[in-house]
Structures are given as C-alpha cells and as structure tokens.
Amino acid sequence: MLNSKIPEGPIQHKWTQYKASAKLINPANRKKYKVIVVGTGLAGSSCAASLSELGFQVEVYTFHESPRRAHSVAAQGGINAAKDYKNDGDSVWRMFYDTVKGGDFRSREANVYRMAECSLALIDQAVAQGVPFAREYSGYLSNRSFGGVQVSRTFYARGQTGQQLLQGAYQALIRQTAVGNINLHTRHEMMDLVVVNNKAKGIVTRNLDTGEIKIMEADAVVLATGGYGKIYYLSTLAMNCNASAIWRAHKRGAFFAAPSWTQFHPTSLPQMGDYQSKLTLMSESLRNDGRIWVPKKKADDRPPHEIPEEERDYYLERKYPSYGNLAPRDISSRAAKEQIDGGHGVGPMKNAVYLDFDSAIAQEGKPTIEKRYGNLFDMYKKITGMDAYKQPMLISPAAHFSMGGLWVDYELMSNLEGLFVLGEANFADHGANRLGANSLLQACVDGYFIAPHTIMNFLASEKPHETIDQIEKEKLITDTQERLETLLKIKGNKTAEEFHKELGIILYTKCGLIREEAVLLEAKSQIQELQKSFYTDLLVPAGNQINFELEKAARVEDYLELALLIVEDALQREESCGAHFRKEFQTEEGEAKRNDEEFKFVSVWESLEKNVFKLHKEDLDFENIKVSERSYK
Amino acid sequence: MKLIIQVWRQESRDAKGKFEKYNLEGLDENMSVPEMLDFLNEKLIKRGEDPIAFESDCREGICGQCGFVINGHVQSPEKQATTCQTHLRSFKDGEEVFLEPFRATAFPIKKDLCIDRTALDRIIAKGGYIGVNTGQAPEANSILIGHDTAESAFDAAACIGCGACVAVCKNASAALFTGAKISHLSMLPQGKLEAKTRVQKMVAQMDAEGFGSCTFTGACEKVCPQGISLANIVTMNREFWKS
C-alpha cells in the first residue's frame, strides 16, 4: 500500500533521472493551476516563490501577521552543504553517509542523498539572494563544524542563519506578491483539509481577525507548517508552533510517520521556574569552542571556578573521545540527562550542565570568541542576567525538532494525492535523529528545488479547477464552526494553556529522552484522562473575532490527540534508535541498541477513528550504506 | 514580587481605548513581560473577563512579533532588547508599569496591544529583494564579498521588522527600517543592479503608507533591538539622490 516511488538506478542518478523524466506543463497552461501553500517558513516561502516564478497561481496562508515571523527565523547555527570549500575531504557522498548514520539508519537513503546533492545549489541560491553568510578576509565563504561530523560544511550568518535565510525566502515570496502570482493571506489558520476522492482539493481556513471561515479550492495543497516539539509545552519552539495543519490532514487520511521521534536539543537554557513559557536555545555551534562538564562530586554547591580541573568531569570528551563535545544531539542530550539524573546537575534547579569557554578564551583570546558568538553571549545575558565570558553557561536538553511528521514519498507527496508536505512537517530525511544545520537545509531544498518539480509532475496529469460540490463545502464550513462552538461552550475552569502545560509534563517525564514500556503505559492513561477532562473543564473566553485563547484551545485539542499517537508509536518500537531511547533496549555501555531484524522500517500510522491507530510499515532498504552500530567513540 | 500594571485596552480598531489597572502579586523577577501577561490573562479568564490581546511568538527576540511601549520605552527599558527579552527584574518591587501598543498612523491598533504592521511588508514588496529566480544563481564563491562588507551587510540585514523605529519616531518615520534593507542589498555586488529602482519604489511606498519624514533625531537607532545604525538612513538618502 505504501509506495515510496523511489526512482530506479544508482543513487547518484536517481534525482537527475527523476527530473529528466518528470512531466511538464506548458508555461502558458501553468496559470490555470492553483496551488495552496500553508506556512511561510523556509519551506513554504521558498516553495510558493518558486511555484509562482514558474507561472502557477499560488495562495499562501500563514497564521502570522507577516510571513517573516515564521519560526525558521529562530534557527541560529547554520546550514550544511557539501561544497568542500575546506578541502577537508567532504563530498555529497560523505554528507549522505553522515546524515544516514546520524539518523541511526532509520531514514530513506534516496531522500537523504538528494538532500546532500541539492545542498550545493542551495548555497548558490542563498548567496544570490543576498544572504550575508560569514566570509574570510579574502572574500570567500567561511565554514564551521557542527555535531556528528568531522568536516566543516556549515555555512552561517553569525548566530542568525535562519533569520537571514528566511529573509531571502520571504523577500522572494513577497516579490512574487507584486510581480508574480501569489495571493498572500496572513492571520489565517488552516482548520481542515478538503479531500475529494482521496485527493487534496483545498483547505478550510479561519480568518483569525474576523473569525470568518471559508474554503479555498486548489489543484494541490502544500503543507509546510513546521514541527510540533511545542507539544512538550516547554520547548525551543515559538509559542504558536503547532501540529494542527498536519493533524487535521492526518484525520482526513494522511498517514503520520514516526510521531515519537522528537529531538531534544542538548544546548538549551534550563528551566528556571514554573511560570516559564519556553526554553531558549543556545546554538550548537557553541560546542565548537565550549567544553561541557559537571562536577565529579554529587550535589556540589561550589561555584564553577572554585571546582578544580581534576574534580570536573568532561563527560562527552571522556565517553566519546573522537567527537568529544561535538557528539550528535541525541547522544549529547542523553549524556546530559544521565549526569543530571545522577545528581551531578548544576544551577539553581540542579537541572543543567556547564558549557565552559574558559579554555577557548585562554587559547584564542576574548575578541575571537566574541566575534564568533558575541550575539549568543549577549542573548544569554539578556535572558539569565549572567556573563558567559566570566562564568560557564548553564545548559540543559529541551524538546526541539520533530523528525516525525506526515508520511511522504520520494516526491514529498502524502498518501493523499495532491497533498505535499515539506520541511519539518514531513518525516523523510533525518531518520531517528537530525544532525545540526540539516534542518534549514531540508526546508530550503524541499521548497526551492524538489517540490516545484514534483508538484508540476503531479499537476500535469490533473485537470485544472475541478470544483468541489457546494453542499459538501457548506458541510465542511459547518463542521469547523461547530467544532469551535463546542470548545467555547464547555465553560469549565481550566485554560487551554493549563492543559498544555500538564500534557507537556506527562510527555517530558514519561515519553521524553528515555522511554520505558510501563512508564509509557502510564503516560497513555494519563493523557486519556487529560483529554476527557479537556471536554468538561476547558475554559475559553467568548468571542469569535481576535481570540487567542480560542486559537490555543483548538491547537491543544489537536495536541492531545497527537500525544496519544506519540505514546503509541514509542510503545510499538521495541528498540532504541537515535532520539528514541527505550530503557529496555541498550548496550552494555548504555548506548542505543537498534534491532535491525525487526525494526528496520518506518512506523506509519493511520487513524481509523479518534484515538484508534493502525500501523503500516515502510521497509527501509540500505543498498549503498552498510548498516552498522552507530559509534562516536 | 508585586507590580501595578496599567494596560492599554481597546476593543477594536475604531473603539476608544483606555488604561486599565491590575494589581499583580506573586510574580517572579525572572518572568519575561509576555510571561507576566500570560499570568495575568489566566486570572482574567478565570474571572470571566476578556484577556489582554497581545502577540508574542518566539520569545527570544528574533521574530519581531511582540513589542509594546513599556513605561514610555519602546520595546524595552533595557538596552537593545525586545519586549520578550525584558524581565521583571528590570522593575522595582511594587512599581507601576504602563504597557501600551506601538502608536503610528501606519500601524493601526487591532485590539489592546495588537497592531497591524503589514505596511512594512508592502514596503519590502516594492523592491526589498534581489530579483533572482530559483535556479538562476551562479556558483556561490564566484561572487566575492570582502569580510567587512559581508559583516556590514549582515548588520543592516539583522532587522527583525518589529517597527520599534517607527513607534519611537516623533514623525513615525520608517526610514531606519527601509534604509536598513536598501543598505543591506545595495552594498552587495549582486544587489547593485537594481539599486536605483529599489530605492525609488521603496521610498514612494513608505510615503504612501503614511509614514512620516525622517528628521534625523536618531531616536530610532537607540531603541532598535538589533542596534541597526543610523548610517543606513544616510545610505538610503545617498542611493535616493544618486537615482
């Protein structure tokens, strides 16, 4: 049933071959086709701009006031590309290998290879748009190193690489609103997907300012709505990041792959109190020069500078000598949690580890470190009031990136025809753990280089503008209206935010960095309870126009359903791989122990009815890379 | 920690607004200003009152979504900070804190602290880009850009589009916002070709949106959370006269 549609032939030629044989539409006929793009982050903006440049009509939706606010803006460290500007042995092949290995051999080879291949042109595109990447004094582009690799292939614009790339994509998008064929709908939320005969034919939208609910019809729908790490409530994500668009599509039949694979970022700021609404990320690039340590003695209350060298445990350097502080994220996060749980945590809540720049400042001098990370140190000071030039940073793992997402085939199309899913919203490229600086890359190549070809290939076999039945349309609008009215009518005593916080605690403690069957079962019943009480105790203030509480409530309702699927997925996968660490399945040294015999597949879920899930499997074939135990020692 | 919060409440764009007073107790000095409003809103919702409408997304100072006037300071009483990067430790225990929306003709108030800043997008749409389509780009290292130029371009490109520069300006001018984009693109070799039309169209749109003129008081530079330099306005003027 699941056909990933991977083209035949050697991996190096698959994408070239695909493009050479993909169906085209005559430029004059393209304007007859309409494509909806939901989301204006890197994936959405770049896809919308590229489609408009080709001549398609594009309707773009974002719940933000401006497309430039999308959360791609917050990515700090960089974007990978196999340019081999450093002459350090990099190549498309090596990047492909690093990414598959980094993902603990749970991603699709052909997709990963294509991402590495397209990385070359992406840097060219971004530079042409005016993205001010860091440069050497000679005028050439500069690179740095990121976790999980031994080459320097990361391009960066200080600690604001996501912002700068998004500026490029946003400017391309906004340019097309003036000179091309883009209609931009800001402050509009996608409430539902319109599916006719198993094909995506439009979306139901709500104008968040006026409350008006409408249907937009189209010949294809693109969801580029980002990740759902915010389901853990405390996360590195923005407050409004949500799973609603992909969850609503899932409820209409789009399969959801690997929902429980959420990456915990090792260098976030720790939680400082109950009032806290988010955890701010400190870029992984800091691990190039910062050394991570904890006191060897448990519950050591001495300030860091009073702890002598021999009483410090640089645990990453000790456990993973060849990668040291640049061990991949899943491994670094888990190692930090082990130290914290083992009583070595530092900071006021004893929930952090140190990231120390003393040696780097001594070796390279403060001005060099300031140049590299100045804005990150400033940000750290703004948030914590502490000076990281003088004392080590406090860092802690936090929910960050969703490797899981809607299932897509090689064309980035869901099992629902005409529904394309891009960027973090899909599952395809990162396996069970994403490497740093591959997220911006995936979002960009999906939008600029892949989707425009695959969408055109799909549309070429479609008749443009098949309209949806009027009665069906009215029913869809009524369904959404009734759903929101139900939420408004509950009139209990708990806010959506309170439900979200409770859900977050359950997921963090029971389905987070470390998972275990008995504990997951507890999580399941607690979430079921919470979901039940949501429909009796929720309190949403009245009002159909600007009502942020109503927006939140609808998103939390979706989160509660998705949370059950996340737990189901974590329960079903009786192995450890990447970010998914089951306590029952570990090596003697405490590393993740995969079970390739039984679990070398992607778990793909269908919802039969509310909270009833059916598992499908996409077997993963590794024809080019030898599947091995993943070691960074 | 205790604070007396005076918040601007306004039902809709054309409604008359006023300050509403709330006494808050049990605050933590490490709370950010939006977190304090979350705390207050929870109380209001439970009392059956309309919560304060405000927008805030990334809460780390980069998305440009939040931004109020706090005790007369646009964005923040702290230096180079956004509202979400402002913590209650910036205030004295028991202090009275006034929160109101950014005010400018081109930024109509939608509700309470929410404003409409889409005028800024419309300025960018007139030319705040390099007109390169997907697929047209040459090899990245074939465009050499000196280290210092790249750094200066970044300084200008760091704008988060929050509109603080407009809100603080006595003329509600968008010169710093527009100048930063013009300057970012015009100093790069790949952005020079369109420099003339870019500056003309963007400046015209700035006027059409109802932003005022720049009289070079430098207030904008002082409140910019990204520290965008006033020199960008000089660049814009130079590019404009050149064109």
Side-chain angles (χ1 to χ4, degrees):
Chain A
M1 189 174 178
L2 286 174
N3 179 4
S4 51
K5 292 195 271 180
I6 297 168
E8 293 297 314
I11 199 157
Q12 297 90 329
H13 299 147
K14 285 183 195 291
W15 181 234
T16 315
Q17 197 51 46
Y18 176 89
K19 285 193 286 180
S21 54
K23 291 197 248 348
L24 300 175
I25 299 170
N26 174 325
N29 285 336
R30 290 179 199 157
K31 60 177 178 292
K32 296 177 187 162
Y33 291 89
K34 188 185 275 185
V35 182
I36 290 170
V37 177
V38 187
T40 58
L42 274 173
S45 290
S46 59
C47 177
S50 306
L51 287 171
S52 171
E53 286 159 13
L54 284 167
F56 294 102
Q57 281 180 63
V58 191
E59 302 286 339
V60 176
Y61 287 86
T62 171
F63 63 74
H64 287 287
E65 162 223 19
S66 161
R68 66 183 293 157
R69 313 269 183 236
H71 196 53
S72 303
V73 79
Q76 298 169 355
I79 180 163
N80 288 331
K83 286 281 200 187
D84 194 29
Y85 285 163
K86 287 275 188 183
N87 192 30
D88 57 1
D90 202 7
S91 63
V92 169
W93 187 272
R94 190 178 290 279
M95 184 166 167
F96 157 62
Y97 178 83
D98 286 343
T99 306
V100 172
K101 178 186 171 193
D104 214 355
F105 306 95
R106 288 293 175 265
S107 50
R108 201 188 276 152
E109 274 191 343
N111 284 58
V112 177
Y113 191 90
R114 177 177 60 185
M115 179 172 78
E117 190 181 341
C118 295
S119 72
L120 306 175
L122 191 272
I123 299 303
D124 303 342
Q125 185 67 31
V127 167
Q129 288 172 342
V131 172
F133 286 125
R135 300 266 170 175
E136 310 287 351
Y137 282 97
S138 54
Y140 291 97
L141 286 151
S142 180
N143 293 105
R144 63 184 171 199
S145 195
F146 250 56
V149 302
Q150 290 175 318
V151 294
S152 295
R153 65 163 73 101
T154 307
F155 294 78
Y156 63 101
R158 282 188 219 158
Q160 293 171 217
T161 316
Q163 185 211 16
Q164 293 306 314
L165 285 165
L166 185 63
Q167 285 285 303
Y170 154 76
Q171 286 162 202
L173 166 86
I174 211 93
R175 167 175 168 247
Q176 288 300 313
T177 63
V179 306
N181 316 302
I182 288 182
N183 271 326
L184 178 61
H185 310 263
T186 57
R187 289 281 295 153
H188 276 71
E189 181 141 354
M190 166 177 156
M191 303 302 293
D192 209 346
L193 180 72
V194 181
V195 179
V196 182
N197 300 328
N198 212 39
K199 278 185 185 171
K201 285 289 176 191
I203 60 171
V204 180
T205 65
R206 176 166 179 266
N207 179 326
L208 299 176
D209 287 341
T210 64
E212 190 186 9
I213 295 166
K214 281 205 309 217
I215 286 190
M216 174 61 77
E217 296 171 66
D219 301 295
V221 176
V222 176
L223 301 184
T225 52
Y228 50 86
K230 181 74 190 165
I231 195 169
Y232 284 82
Y233 190 73
L234 282 178
S235 79
T236 63
L237 278 78
M239 297 308 289
N240 296 301
C241 289
N242 66 81
S244 287
I246 56 173
W247 189 252
R248 291 283 138 189
H250 173 68
K251 292 186 74 148
R252 291 288 175 189
F255 292 172
F256 208 120
S260 73
W261 291 353
T262 293
Q263 177 172 78
F264 289 77
H265 198 291
T267 55
S268 155
L269 298 184
Q271 186 183 5
M272 295 297 215
D274 295 334
Y275 55 83
Q276 206 155 331
S277 57
K278 82 158 278 168
L279 298 171
T280 301
L281 185 73
M282 287 283 121
S283 166
E284 173 163 312
S285 61
L286 291 167
R287 292 201 276 147
N288 270 299
D289 289 296
R291 297 178 70 197
I292 293 174
W293 64 276
V294 290
K296 280 185 182 163
K297 209 172 87 188
K298 284 186 187 184
D300 193 334
D301 281 329
R302 287 176 292 175
H305 59 269
E306 285 177 21
I307 302 177
E309 206 51 40
E310 62 276 12
E311 290 180 43
R312 300 175 175 193
D313 182 8
Y314 295 88
Y315 58 88
L316 284 179
E317 296 172 20
R318 170 172 59 80
K319 288 174 76 174
Y320 309 101
S322 61
Y323 283 76
N325 293 298
L326 282 173
R329 291 180 177 176
D330 53 339
I331 288 173
S332 307
S333 287
R334 213 149 44 230
K337 183 170 164 61
E338 261 171 38
Q339 297 299 332
I340 293 165
D341 291 352
H344 299 277
V346 294
M349 288 175 81
K350 300 278 176 222
N351 58 353
V353 298
Y354 289 127
L355 177 62
D356 199 331
F357 291 88
D358 253 10
S359 334
I361 291 171
Q363 276 164 25
E364 312 223 20
K366 195 179 160 192
T368 308
I369 298 302
E370 205 170 343
K371 190 155 219 168
R372 279 185 203 152
Y373 313 109
N375 65 327
L376 296 170
F377 280 49
D378 290 349
M379 184 159 134
Y380 183 75
K381 191 164 187 191
K382 270 181 205 165
I383 297 165
T384 63
M386 293 187 270
D387 183 353
Y389 294 105
K390 292 191 180 136
Q391 51 182 324
M393 284 184 180
L394 292 172
I395 55 157
S396 189
H400 181 56
F401 182 88
S402 319
M403 277 78 71
L406 289 186
W407 182 86
V408 289
D409 60 22
Y410 187 74
E411 298 187 290
L412 305 183
M413 187 160 84
S414 146
N415 57 304
L416 293 178
E417 279 188 58
L419 178 68
F420 293 82
V421 191
L422 274 51
E424 193 175 347
N426 75 26
F427 88 104
D429 296 353
H430 309 293
N433 172 57
R434 176 174 66 73
L435 289 183
N438 267 353
S439 170
L440 291 177
L441 175 65
Q442 187 220 341
C444 288
V445 300
D446 282 5
Y448 286 114
F449 300 131
I450 301 170
H453 297 287
T454 63
I455 291 172
M456 176 137 67
N457 179 61
F458 166 77
L459 291 175
S461 315
E462 297 290 300
K463 263 211 316 259
H465 280 298
E466 284 178 355
T467 52
I468 307 165
D469 177 65
Q470 192 58 29
I471 299 166
E472 187 59 29
K473 273 178 23 185
E474 279 161 23
K475 187 184 171 304
L476 283 165
I477 290 178
T478 321
D479 283 353
T480 296
Q481 273 163 347
E482 283 173 0
R483 176 181 169 222
L484 296 177
E485 276 159 25
T486 307
L487 298 176
L488 286 163
K489 270 190 220 148
I490 300 170
K491 295 200 174 128
N493 53 12
K494 248 166 90 174
T495 63
E497 195 95 352
E498 287 176 294
F499 279 101
H500 194 172
K501 281 185 184 174
E502 266 183 56
L503 176 65
I505 291 169
I506 300 172
L507 287 175
Y508 253 108
T509 52
K510 303 199 156 126
C511 190
L513 274 160
I514 296 173
R515 294 135 184 219
E516 196 181 351
E517 187 180 8
V519 181
L520 286 167
L521 288 169
E522 276 172 36
K524 186 174 170 176
S525 66
Q526 284 181 345
I527 297 166
Q528 282 166 340
E529 282 300 306
L530 192 65
Q531 191 179 48
K532 235 203 253 151
S533 66
F534 182 83
Y535 293 103
T536 54
D537 299 347
L538 176 72
L539 174 58
V540 183
N544 190 31
Q545 299 198 343
I546 297 179
N547 183 347
F548 293 108
E549 289 303 310
L550 183 59
E551 294 170 30
K552 273 189 224 167
R555 291 169 190 163
V556 173
E557 183 184 31
D558 291 337
Y559 270 151
L560 284 163
E561 292 178 19
L562 170 58
L564 284 168
L565 180 59
I566 287 177
V567 172
E568 196 67 34
D569 184 58
L571 268 170
Q572 169 264 325
R573 187 159 286 270
E574 295 184 325
E575 67 160 352
S576 294
C577 57
H580 171 69
F581 189 84
R582 282 279 299 263
K583 206 172 172 183
E584 306 95 313
F585 308 102
Q586 50 181 310
T587 64
E588 278 171 19
E589 290 125 343
E591 302 294 339
K593 192 173 174 188
R594 284 197 330 264
N595 179 348
D596 292 328
E597 299 242 310
E598 290 175 88
F599 288 95
K600 199 156 61 66
F601 63 83
V602 180
S603 307
V604 185
W605 299 93
E606 177 183 5
S607 275
L608 299 174
E609 54 186 278
K610 188 169 171 176
N611 301 347
V612 181
F613 309 111
K614 184 182 170 193
L615 177 68
H616 301 268
K617 296 176 182 176
E618 182 197 336
D619 288 319
L620 293 168
D621 297 319
F622 293 89
E623 292 169 353
N624 299 281
I625 286 180
K626 195 170 160 289
V627 177
S628 59
E629 193 186 323
R630 184 168 160 248
S631 168
Y632 292 92
K633 289 191 186 294
Chain B
M1 185 178 187
K2 285 184 202 169
L3 287 175
I4 301 159
I5 307 295
Q6 295 266 17
V7 187
W8 185 262
R9 303 298 311 255
Q10 182 172 332
E11 190 55 40
S12 61
R13 188 171 166 153
D14 301 317
K16 204 167 154 19
K18 64 172 192 324
F19 281 103
E20 198 89 49
K21 183 167 148 183
Y22 304 94
N23 289 308
L24 281 181
E25 292 182 13
L27 297 167
D28 188 299
E29 61 165 22
N30 291 316
M31 274 181 176
S32 66
V33 169
E35 283 168 348
M36 176 189 72
L37 288 177
D38 290 343
F39 179 84
L40 169 57
N41 273 348
E42 199 174 297
K43 292 182 189 305
L44 294 179
I45 294 166
K46 289 191 176 176
R47 293 208 299 250
E49 294 172 37
D50 196 23
I52 296 154
F54 72 99
E55 290 191 281
S56 145
D57 200 35
C58 77
R59 296 202 174 175
E60 54 185 83
I62 194 72
C63 75
Q65 181 71 72
C66 67
F68 322 136
V69 178
I70 304 174
N71 282 348
H73 300 281
V74 172
Q75 280 283 16
S76 174
E78 300 294 329
K79 210 180 144 216
Q80 281 191 17
T82 57
T83 294
C84 65
Q85 291 172 313
T86 309
H87 297 82
L88 303 193
R89 56 180 175 264
S90 299
F91 310 111
K92 287 193 282 292
D93 196 12
E95 192 178 333
E96 188 166 31
V97 178
F98 286 82
L99 300 179
E100 54 189 311
F102 286 0
R103 295 181 195 275
T105 312
F107 292 168
I109 296 171
K110 297 200 306 194
K111 186 179 180 185
D112 300 339
L113 301 171
C114 297
I115 52 168
D116 180 349
R117 279 167 293 193
T118 46
L120 298 180
D121 289 326
R122 291 190 291 272
I123 295 176
I124 299 293
K126 289 294 171 188
Y129 48 74
I130 290 172
V132 55
N133 283 357
T134 304
Q136 290 177 325
E139 153 60 38
N141 259 344
S142 66
I143 307 172
L144 292 187
I145 300 168
H147 174 271
D148 294 346
T149 309
E151 293 295 305
S152 307
F154 180 97
D155 288 337
C159 168
I160 59 173
C162 68
C165 48
V166 175
V168 77
C169 176
K170 61 182 175 135
N171 299 332
S173 161
L176 191 64
F177 170 83
T178 312
K181 187 45 69 189
I182 286 168
S183 164
H184 158 215
L185 298 173
S186 69
M187 76 174 87
L188 296 172
Q190 62 271 45
K192 287 198 195 301
L193 211 63
E194 295 161 296
K196 271 188 187 176
T197 50
R198 177 183 304 125
V199 69
Q200 286 171 2
K201 287 185 176 174
M202 287 176 76
V203 167
Q205 188 63 28
M206 195 166 72
D207 295 341
E209 293 288 349
F211 292 104
S213 305
C214 171
T215 49
F216 229 67
T217 66
C220 51
E221 181 185 63
K222 288 206 181 71
V223 300
C224 175
Q226 292 286 323
I228 308 273
S229 160
L230 202 58
N232 290 297
I233 301 180
V234 181
T235 308
M236 173 172 70
N237 291 343
R238 194 177 56 229
E239 291 291 326
F240 188 77
W241 294 118
K242 253 174 34 188
S243 76

